[in-house]
Amino acid sequence: MPIIGTIASSIRVATNSYESISTAVVQAGGSQAVTISSIPQGYTHLQVRGSVRSHSGTTGNNNTFSLRFNGDSGGNYWRQRIYATDNAGVGADFTGTTGIDIGNYTFTPTSMYSGVTIDIVDYANTNKMKFAKAISGHVRDSSFGRLFIYGGYWNNTNAITSITFFSVADSFGAGTQFALYGIKG
Amino acid sequence: MPATYDSIASTTLGSNQSSVSFSTIPTTFTDLIIVVQAGNTTDSQAQNIRFNSDSGGNYDLMWLRGSGAAVTGNLAANQVQGYFGYFVVPDVSANDFISTIEIYDYNATDRWKSVVVRDNNAVTGNFTGTEALTWWWKNTAAITNILLFPNGGQFPTGSTFTLYGIKAA
């Protein structure tokens, strides 16, 4: 592959420590929740790479989506976030909650998918609480934008066997996808 | 499970360069990641990125930046390029700035291209900034070319740029 203006070298290295496990894609009609289940236990960490858009396309300017582990919808999660809003607003907050807020997307237009990478470390370790972190955001127009850095944990040492992503005030639009990867360590 | 996260191309600069380009990108992956470790021969220069040679006002950005004790965030819409970092000190070393650029669904033709960046910069004995960015290239075309270039100065000798591809199941 040519690389202009440089001394180029190309390498292709096969790796067997980062593997694609499965991908969940929202179909026509949208969905308020997406679940990845039967997660194999043979990795050390998980990573989810998402592309998320709105189903309604009309409600509000910003929407948050969250995750739960193993179907636990109890108040067993905590999350911290740092954020930037619009022009020059910054802040941070912390809350106990029924799921870890982990991403954001806007409502218009339909071609606007927000990308997010979610890291979940030591997901199968039964001696540790489970942590997740991500960076997410969007710019709707010249006066409205959001950027969030999230960190949260599930106060449970069970191995993670399923992950549910859900949208609080809206539904995920068709084409929204969450791709799960396993990392061996 | 299929292994992925493949190194597509990598370069280490043997001389100062005004730009680095990845072209003829394979269409077989889902996402792209670019890892940069570099410097700049002139201080306080934004580090820019363009897709498919688009220099129109088609990039909308949000950033959150910490430098010293200051935290700032801002929005910049309709920019003529995206952005993968910013130097705040004079720096000619190739080892004082790192950036990870994540490009989602680069080959999809039904959506704008979403990008998330994490970058840090430092100079020996001092750490000077960390930053997160999210931005869109407002174009549904598949990405076939990526150009990285500083606002001023050059990437110095020894700077490294590596392009990875990740394929979803």
Side-chain angles (χ1 to χ4, degrees):
Chain A
M1 170 186 300
I3 300 178
I4 300 170
T6 72
I7 298 174
S9 63
S10 295
I11 57 173
R12 181 174 290 274
V13 178
T15 176
N16 58 7
S17 59
Y18 186 101
E19 296 182 349
S20 175
I21 298 173
S22 65
T23 300
V25 181
V26 175
Q27 303 302 308
S31 178
Q32 195 164 21
V34 175
T35 297
I36 300 174
S37 58
S38 302
I39 296 174
Q41 299 295 293
Y43 301 97
T44 303
H45 310 303
L46 298 175
Q47 186 176 82
V48 178
R49 305 183 64 82
S51 291
V52 183
R53 76 168 183 91
S54 169
H55 172 65
S56 71
T58 58
T59 308
N61 298 316
N62 176 63
N63 195 35
T64 300
F65 67 93
S66 310
L67 64 77
R68 291 173 173 151
F69 296 129
N70 296 6
D72 182 2
S73 59
N76 300 311
Y77 305 85
W78 294 88
R79 73 104 176 101
Q80 171 77 53
R81 63 182 185 179
I82 310 169
Y83 55 85
T85 62
D86 306 327
N87 294 299
V90 296
D93 60 30
F94 167 78
T95 187
T97 181
T98 58
I100 301 173
D101 297 340
I102 207 68
N104 297 81
Y105 60 97
T106 189
F107 285 85
T108 57
T110 57
S111 58
M112 196 178 283
Y113 288 73
S114 294
V116 62
T117 300
I118 303 164
D119 293 312
I120 303 166
V121 297
D122 293 320
Y123 76 103
N125 190 315
T126 56
N127 297 313
K128 300 181 179 180
M129 295 188 297
K130 305 304 180 291
F131 284 80
K133 62 181 181 71
I135 299 175
S136 178
H138 54 78
V139 179
R140 192 199 66 173
D141 54 42
S142 61
S143 62
F144 188 94
R146 296 287 187 271
L147 188 152
F148 293 87
I149 300 175
Y150 288 106
Y153 73 89
W154 180 40
N155 189 14
N156 193 308
T157 58
N158 287 347
I160 294 171
T161 58
S162 72
I163 306 170
T164 299
F165 300 95
F166 62 99
S167 180
V168 177
D170 181 52
S171 295
F172 299 122
T176 293
Q177 67 180 39
F178 296 95
L180 177 67
Y181 300 86
I183 302 170
K184 297 179 181 179
Chain B
M1 306 297 176
T4 184
Y5 211 127
D6 293 348
S7 175
I8 299 171
S10 180
T11 185
T12 299
L13 301 185
S15 61
N16 295 352
Q17 296 292 331
S18 298
S19 68
V20 170
S21 176
F22 296 103
S23 62
T24 319
I25 298 169
T27 61
T28 53
F29 299 101
T30 306
D31 300 332
L32 298 175
I33 296 177
I34 303 173
V35 178
V36 177
Q37 184 159 28
N40 194 295
T41 57
T42 305
D43 66 325
S44 299
Q45 299 295 326
Q47 308 304 303
N48 302 316
I49 181 170
R50 285 182 178 148
F51 296 144
N52 295 8
S53 304
D54 183 4
S55 58
N58 299 313
Y59 304 84
D60 287 350
L61 293 76
M62 278 291 300
W63 67 83
L64 179 62
R65 178 186 301 154
S67 181
V71 179
T72 57
N74 217 331
L75 180 160
N78 305 315
Q79 302 298 291
V80 297
Q81 57 248 338
Y83 172 76
F84 67 98
Y86 191 81
F87 288 108
V88 293
V89 292
D91 181 0
V92 296
S93 166
N95 297 313
D96 292 338
F97 168 69
I98 61 171
S99 180
T100 303
I101 307 160
E102 302 204 45
I103 306 166
Y104 300 88
D105 302 314
Y106 74 102
N107 201 45
T109 56
D110 64 344
R111 64 196 67 182
W112 295 353
K113 303 307 178 287
S114 176
V115 180
V116 172
V117 175
R118 282 293 314 275
D119 70 89
N120 299 326
N121 70 76
V123 69
T124 302
N126 188 24
F127 183 73
T128 57
T130 187
E131 182 178 52
L133 298 100
T134 181
W135 50 271
W136 266 304
W137 178 46
K138 297 182 288 185
N139 194 311
T140 58
I143 293 172
T144 58
N145 177 280
I146 301 171
L147 179 70
L148 303 140
F149 62 101
N151 249 16
Q154 294 182 308
F155 300 125
T157 302
S159 297
T160 63
F161 303 81
T162 304
L163 176 67
Y164 298 91
I166 296 177
K167 182 173 176 58

